Amino acid sequence: MRTTWDLETDVLVIGYGLAGGVAASIAHDGGSDVLILEKNEYPGGCSIFAGGSAKCVEDAEAAREYLTVLSAGRVDDEVISAFAQALAENEDFIRQLAQVNGAELKRIPNTQGSYPYPGRETWYSLRIAKIPGFEGFPWMRCFLSPAGVNLIKLAMDNVESRGIPAMLSTPVRRLETDDSGVVIGAVAEKEGRELAVRARQAVVLATGGFEQSEWMRKQYLQGMPFFSMAPLTHTGDGIMMSQKVGAALWHMWLVHGSYGFKFPEYQLAFRHPFSGYRNPKRKMSWIVVDKMGSRYMNEYPPAPQDLPHRAMEIFDPDLPGYPRIPSLMIFDEVGRKREAIAQPLAFPGYEYNWSEDNSAEIERGWIIKANSIAELADAIKERFPENEGRMDAEQLEASVREWNMCVETGKDRFNRPPGSMMALATPPYYAAQVWPIITNTQGGPVHNAKQQVMDPFGQPIPRLYAVGELGSFFGHLYQLGGNIGECFTSGKIAGQNAAKETRLP
Ligand SMILES: Cc1cc2nc3c(=O)[nH]c(=O)nc-3n(C[C@H](O)[C@H](O)[C@H](O)COP(=O)(O)OP(=O)(O)OC[C@H]3O[C@@H](n4cnc5c(N)ncnc54)[C@H](O)[C@@H]3O)c2cc1C
């Protein structure tokens, strides 16, 4: 057991995204000295990219009912109840945090739960509309909306107003335990040297997911390859560190994601622009077909950033391979002019502005063009090696014909909403390759209702907590907006409980 340390604190928080910032602030309010260690050069993690708001509920019992169906028996009742209760308290909690900088919070009452389950109507969202005097961080441009940037500003102002130190560019490499397995600190790396930090009360893991670990993606996700839009620091470190001290894992297979684009010139993937809740009247200009040209999915399901990649993941041993990875997005001239088919992130060093009429991407060869569907099939075979020459012109023509009949009748066997349908009838025609895209992962260490990390035998690992998307609640279906809501609920619960641990002498 380690006995020499470079630094000491009561509660050590590892990872400075939203959940880490909240947990640190609340542990401090509970009377603990707190230190945050962050791997990246700046705080924010995935949280800073979030386009949405924090989920809250009007009524804990209704939320419990909804979450019970949503999680389909994969989460214990006790954890469901604790999450539902914290969601019911979320608005008051966030309003308290917002006092630090006068953040203006906007309640968005009409965003219901994504799925038609009992309790759906209890959900609403809370968005940080504005923070007086704050125009964004010089080191981060915002993506869809300033929501995520404002969330991180809120977390940082709470941390800084409490005088909590945060060490950036300090990746934690491992946890330290005593001889009986109690977590007593961690070892980080700072400027090429080891930094051992003792935690007298607890360690809170807030390191996010494994979006950028190719190895973990291959081991835990069914389809290959998946590409990610998350920061490059997200390599599942918290998962490995918790495993090393005996944690059980859950929800590793579940990805909050969609289908989208990946080009070798850009390290991060781009997703299509249909995020948020499904608006059944919003037109979508494309269909998606497999390598051979057959349509197989509802391109616009109830949660467009939760479900669509799942349909892509099947493996066909007779091919052999994944007949739907990559798939092809097919659209026509009307669709091409209508709107950009992708929505890239703004990420320092990885910015890309997609042209509104998709013309620049045709120039780049990311989108290919042909005068007829049969010619498009030939062009796909020739120009996209990943298609492996499988595209079948007759099949693609049949898919487009069948689709155009669906548009006429308003009926689709995959349940695409009639209001979203557009005929593919105006040449030229276009194709782009689409892949399964990870917005963020949900897997990580199992936690109980107190956010304590559990071992495979259902026992808490003493003095170890996990928050945010690291071992998220979501293990069956993802509730849109749920990750941000959970950063607040889990950060509060873990911070409170960590501060109650007795101090080691
Ligand atoms: C583009 C995008 C859009 C999204 N939109 C929404 C949305 O609209 N609504 C919603 O609810 N959710 C959304 N999400 C998901 C949501 O943003 C995340 O799930 C959530 O913010 C995760 O917060 P976190 O605090 O758990 O982790 P993060 O905010 O990811 O923070 C984890 C931090 O830990 C650090 N870290 C990692 N390893 C180490 C280590 N070894 N040592 C020290 N530090 C480490 C990372 O660098 C990072 O800063 C979106 C995600 C993305 C990528």
Side-chain angles (χ1 to χ4, degrees):
M1 168 178 140
R2 176 181 282 277
T3 52
T4 54
W5 304 89
D6 301 300
L7 291 173
E8 286 206 20
T9 186
D10 289 332
V11 174
L12 174 63
V13 176
I14 304 177
Y16 193 0
L18 180 59
V22 171
S25 301
I26 299 309
H28 177 276
D29 294 351
S32 301
D33 280 340
V34 182
L35 171 66
I36 304 176
L37 301 182
E38 164 58 45
K39 180 178 187 179
N40 216 337
E41 295 152 31
Y42 41 78
C46 273
S47 308
I48 208 162
F49 295 124
S53 334
K55 275 277 164 275
C56 305
V57 300
E58 300 280 5
D59 176 53
E61 182 49 30
R64 199 190 57 72
E65 262 191 86
Y66 181 92
L67 292 170
T68 301
V69 183
L70 190 85
S71 47
R74 295 184 196 241
V75 179
D76 301 344
D77 289 347
E78 212 185 321
V79 176
I80 294 176
S81 296
F83 187 35
Q85 184 57 41
L87 284 166
E89 295 162 9
N90 228 10
E91 178 170 353
D92 283 349
F93 176 57
I94 299 168
R95 287 195 183 282
Q96 275 168 32
L97 294 174
Q99 285 174 8
V100 74
N101 55 18
E104 289 170 25
L105 300 179
K106 191 167 167 215
R107 208 178 139 126
I108 307 168
N110 295 326
T111 3
Q112 300 179 328
S114 316
Y115 298 100
Y117 302 150
R120 179 184 196 186
E121 57 303 322
T122 197
W123 293 89
Y124 65 95
S125 299
L126 202 63
R127 172 179 288 265
I128 304 180
K130 195 167 182 299
I131 297 180
F134 176 61
E135 300 294 335
F137 298 112
W139 37 269
M140 179 60 71
R141 206 161 69 77
C142 72
F143 141 62
L144 283 176
S145 74
V149 177
N150 286 349
L151 284 163
I152 282 301
K153 173 71 174 155
L154 183 76
M156 288 173 69
D157 284 354
N158 273 282
V159 165
E160 287 166 17
S161 69
R162 287 165 173 81
I164 299 169
M167 297 174 71
L168 304 177
S169 303
T170 311
V172 176
R173 300 297 184 204
R174 62 178 186 274
L175 299 173
E176 290 285 335
T177 59
D178 70 11
D179 296 338
S180 61
V182 176
V183 174
I184 54 169
V187 175
E189 190 184 317
K190 182 76 184 160
E191 289 156 4
R193 299 180 40 189
E194 279 202 345
L195 180 83
V197 182
R198 181 168 184 245
R200 290 178 293 250
Q201 287 181 296
V203 172
V204 179
L205 287 171
T207 48
F210 64 91
E211 296 86 3
Q212 294 293 357
S213 164
E214 193 183 343
W215 189 85
M216 284 199 195
R217 292 196 309 247
K218 281 183 180 157
Q219 301 313 318
Y220 295 116
L221 307 182
Q222 187 179 330
M224 290 196 297
F226 259 85
F227 295 110
S228 170
M229 310 165 48
L232 303 174
T233 49
H234 283 221
T235 46
D237 302 6
I239 296 171
M240 292 183 284
M241 289 191 276
S242 67
Q243 281 183 292
K244 185 97 198 267
V245 298
L249 302 184
W250 69 356
H251 308 164
M252 294 297 285
W253 71 279
L254 187 63
V255 159
H256 167 197
S258 192
Y259 54 90
F261 310 89
K262 177 70 180 68
F263 307 108
E265 302 92 312
Y266 286 83
Q267 220 163 339
L268 297 187
F270 305 156
R271 68 185 185 186
H272 69 68
F274 283 66
S275 55
Y277 294 91
R278 178 168 71 182
N279 170 357
K281 292 190 183 136
R282 185 173 170 193
K283 296 270 181 233
M284 178 181 262
S285 56
W286 62 80
I287 59 169
V288 171
V289 297
D290 67 14
K291 285 184 184 172
M292 286 72 75
S294 295
R295 200 169 151 254
Y296 62 89
M297 69 148 106
N298 176 357
E299 295 87 351
Y300 197 20
Q305 295 299 338
D306 180 13
L307 303 167
H309 60 278
R310 296 189 190 193
M312 305 176 88
E313 292 189 61
I314 60 153
F315 181 79
D316 183 345
D318 283 327
L319 271 180
Y322 291 90
R324 300 170 177 178
I325 303 179
S327 288
L328 285 310
M329 181 187 265
I330 308 288
F331 52 101
D332 72 356
E333 181 68 355
V334 176
R336 199 245 334 144
K337 290 182 178 158
R338 197 163 189 278
E339 66 179 323
I341 58 166
Q343 190 170 51
L345 278 181
F347 191 77
Y350 305 99
E351 293 189 43
Y352 180 74
N353 291 315
W354 195 281
S355 60
E356 269 177 37
D357 62 359
N358 304 293
S359 53
E361 292 68 34
I362 296 169
E363 282 288 302
R364 282 175 168 268
W366 293 353
I367 300 173
I368 58 173
K369 167 176 161 180
N371 287 324
S372 69
I373 294 293
E375 282 177 30
L376 189 66
D378 288 342
I380 289 167
K381 277 203 284 202
E382 264 171 46
R383 311 244 297 272
F384 291 144
E386 298 85 350
N387 184 255
E388 297 156 339
R390 294 188 193 278
M391 181 52 69
D392 177 334
E394 281 180 21
Q395 179 56 60
L396 187 61
E397 283 181 320
S399 297
V400 171
R401 246 191 336 269
E402 190 198 329
W403 171 249
N404 287 337
M405 275 164 54
C406 292
V407 181
E408 265 182 51
T409 59
K411 288 202 178 95
D412 172 33
R413 66 195 158 112
F414 301 111
N415 293 327
R416 174 115 160 228
S420 75
M421 295 179 176
M422 284 175 67
L424 299 181
T426 310
Y429 296 97
Y430 299 91
Q433 294 197 117
V434 286
W435 307 83
I437 299 297
I438 305 176
T439 299
N440 61 283
T441 55
Q442 306 290 357
V446 179
H447 65 75
N448 64 8
K450 293 180 170 175
Q451 297 293 143
Q452 289 172 297
V453 173
M454 306 297 282
D455 74 14
F457 303 100
Q459 295 304 311
I461 296 174
R463 298 176 186 268
L464 184 62
Y465 294 80
V467 293
E469 72 168 58
L470 176 72
S472 156
F473 173 90
F474 301 102
H476 183 69
L477 284 170
Y478 172 62
Q479 169 67 41
L480 288 179
N483 281 129
I484 292 299
E486 190 181 17
C487 285
F488 286 105
T489 59
S490 61
K492 179 176 91 169
I493 294 171
Q496 286 170 342
N497 288 309
K500 284 185 202 153
E501 298 275 6
T502 50
R503 279 182 186 77
L504 293 169

